[in-house]
Amino acid sequence: MIVTTLEEFFKMGPGPSSSHTMGPMRITRDFYRRVEALPDEVLARATGLRVEVLGSLSATGQGHGTGRAALAGLLGRNPADCEPEFLDGIAAHPERVYDVRIGPAAIPVSMKDIVWGEMLGNFPHPNTMRVRLLGGDATLLEMEYYSVGGGFIEWKGYQASEKGTPAYPYSTMKELQAHVAASGLSLPAVMLANELAVSGKSEAEVRAHLDQVKRVMLQLVDGGLQAQGVLPGPIGLQSKAKALYANAMESDRWMDRSTSVLASFAMAAAEENARGRVIVTAPTAGAAGVMPAVVKGYQDYRPMSESAFHESFLAAAAIGYLCKHNATLAGAEGGCQAEIGVASAMAAAFIVQASGGNVRQVANAAESALEHHLGLTCDPVEGYVQVPCIERCAFGAIKAHAAACITMDVEEKRHRVDLDTCIAAMAMTGRDMNAKYKETSTGGLAALVQC
Ligand code: SF4
């Protein structure tokens, strides 16, 4: 049964990666809080903290800012309100030693305490971290964590926290569609009823969160359209969004203009993600350009009420939840189909909902967008979320638009593949995919492109 909430799903935090930046920061922040809860007599013996980074996190963590994010979490910082400048400061002064003061403890920590372990191995999850509180040679507290995608974290022995029971329980799109048919409600209304029941929040709180999601997404696009220059890292990648947008606005060919505008919005947000700005996981940071492009497109070109935006976000969330629950959102587990593919499916659902489509059309558009990302590998060059990730966000947004157009213009019953089957195919493809193509930067473009 799916009990994910909007606040868990649409999270705000620093880029460039939800599983490799935000997840590790949430992990070490969680450990920090556990240390805080220890008795004073244990804390008095504490002499150090150690973070071991394993698997895909070790393979691409340098380019994904995993180390600085993990250190920031150890210092008690939260992804949602940690300024990018703080993380930049850690990266700029890797030799600096910080004091973690908790109760009687003053524990020195630095980037040297983030240890890059084995990249390939038989770990419980491809994104595994072990965090220890040391007291001389003794270990006072140890936890094994997993960054499972989209900024979600779990740990050894993890039990999901108690939540309310959904008003309309479901695990598949088929069940969700049955609830819509039986209740006479729209898909967003069913999702909202579930959200209220599961989260215990008021409708006003839920809507306020969606307003914030929209605000951050728009800020991301607007920021990216203003910025220019070379993106951080060894690739020396020139940002393109600003120039692309300016050229699009001068074009008198409608097709070029609409495609280029949508692409420039997606790349603007993705370039901001590469700069480490605060993004919204939709569903991940690597895919952070796809949904914002579509949201910005509606904001600028097809104005609609705030409540219509909320409904469209709820439809998109339904698709993201199904993919998380029945497959994965982690590039390290499923390749890029799990990130850009899911983002594109969510964006297609957003467009169809915003265009007044019904639940079946939403499902079909999401299926179509996801289907045409099946098998997409994750091979970021130099381990940076730039090539192919930034342009891939543009293609994800464009495919979402194509999927929505095709679905809205063709009779629903002619659609052959259902969304649940497509999500199952994504999960199967991810399991079969060679580890070289699952965020280890050891295959494909990452192996062949020289910087
Ligand atoms: S290739 Fe796709 S999955 Fe891999 S880091 Fe880039 S956006 Fe994420």
Side-chain angles (χ1 to χ4, degrees), residues 348-401:
F350 184 101
I351 296 169
V352 172
Q353 186 63 49
S355 309
N358 62 37
V359 64
R360 200 157 159 196
Q361 289 171 318
V362 167
N364 289 349
E367 187 286 320
S368 183
L370 184 60
E371 180 182 322
H372 300 293
H373 285 89
L374 287 179
L376 192 65
T377 57
C378 169
D379 51 358
V381 173
E382 294 284 335
Y384 276 71
V385 190
Q386 297 181 7
V387 180
C389 321
I390 294 171
E391 288 188 8
R392 197 165 277 177
C393 281
F395 283 89
I398 290 164
K399 281 194 198 178
H401 187 239

Side-chain angles (χ1 to χ4, degrees), residues 54-126:
L54 297 161
S56 169
L57 291 175
S58 180
T60 60
Q62 304 278 2
H64 286 54
T66 304
R68 63 182 188 223
L71 185 55
L74 280 186
L75 298 172
R77 302 304 295 260
N78 217 354
D81 50 30
C82 182
E83 322 76 52
E85 294 73 23
F86 184 77
L87 295 170
D88 291 346
I90 291 179
H93 303 286
E95 72 297 336
R96 186 169 163 193
V97 179
Y98 303 80
D99 260 349
V100 178
R101 292 183 176 276
I102 303 175
I107 311 164
V109 288
S110 73
M111 287 295 272
K112 285 193 184 134
D113 295 306
I114 315 296
V115 180
W116 304 95
E118 286 176 88
M119 297 181 193
L120 294 173
N122 198 17
F123 313 116
H125 187 277

